[in-house]
Amino acid sequence: FVGVKCFTILKNGKQKYVPSDGELAIIMLDRYLAEDHEFYLLDEPERGLGNSYVDSEIRPKLIALARSGKTVLIATHNANLAVRTEPVHSILLEYHGENEFTLYSGSPFSNQLSRATNANDTRNWCEESMNILEGGPEAFYDRKDMYELQ
């Protein structure tokens, strides 16, 4: 039995190169998204990755998979993934502590999230997304004002 191990040696010829957590995430995510599956499950795929990389590389791949008829389920707090991937369905899990939570689901297209156990208990999709993903309207518009200072 022969074991084989692959690794990269740095230019000095002595040090083995060890990828960072972000580089490992990129490699694993790229491999996974390149495989042909009917269903893709991603738990915070943006973790350890720069927002510009997530938006320019990961988001287009997820959109392409969904448009090709694949099911893509993403758990995320990243606004580019949660909003700009044009989700057909969204789930909001409101945690109350000690294994207590309220589950809402809905769509950005109807701008409504309904409680799973009581359809009359609804939330506004845009408001919830703004608060959770952007830190609220004040934080969102403060960033807008900063960007427009140029």
Side-chain angles (χ1 to χ4, degrees), residues 25-35 53 57-58 61:
I26 289 170
I27 292 166
M28 290 173 30
L29 195 52
D30 278 347
R31 284 182 182 168
Y32 178 61
L33 296 178
E35 295 172 0
Y53 180 81
E57 300 295 324
I58 304 303
K61 290 177 184 177

Side-chain angles (χ1 to χ4, degrees), residues 59-145:
R59 185 180 59 84
K61 290 177 184 177
L62 297 175
I63 290 171
L65 287 169
R67 287 183 178 163
S68 72
K70 307 295 182 175
T71 299
V72 181
L73 180 65
I74 308 167
T76 186
H77 294 266
N78 181 286
N80 283 321
L81 294 181
V83 177
R84 297 190 69 219
T85 53
E86 303 164 7
V88 173
H89 199 83
S90 296
I91 298 171
L92 168 64
L93 189 63
E94 189 177 82
Y95 182 68
H96 306 291
E98 288 298 313
N99 297 321
E100 292 183 38
F101 60 89
T102 306
L103 179 71
Y104 294 86
S105 67
S107 168
F109 303 106
S110 67
N111 194 28
Q112 184 172 306
L113 295 162
S114 299
R115 186 173 178 171
T117 57
N118 179 358
N120 293 322
D121 181 3
T122 63
R123 299 284 178 90
N124 181 291
W125 190 95
C126 288
E127 287 177 14
E128 294 297 329
S129 297
M130 175 69 78
N131 289 329
I132 293 167
L133 301 172
E134 304 289 354
E138 183 178 348
F140 179 80
Y141 288 109
D142 282 351
R143 286 192 301 279
K144 176 186 176 292
D145 292 343

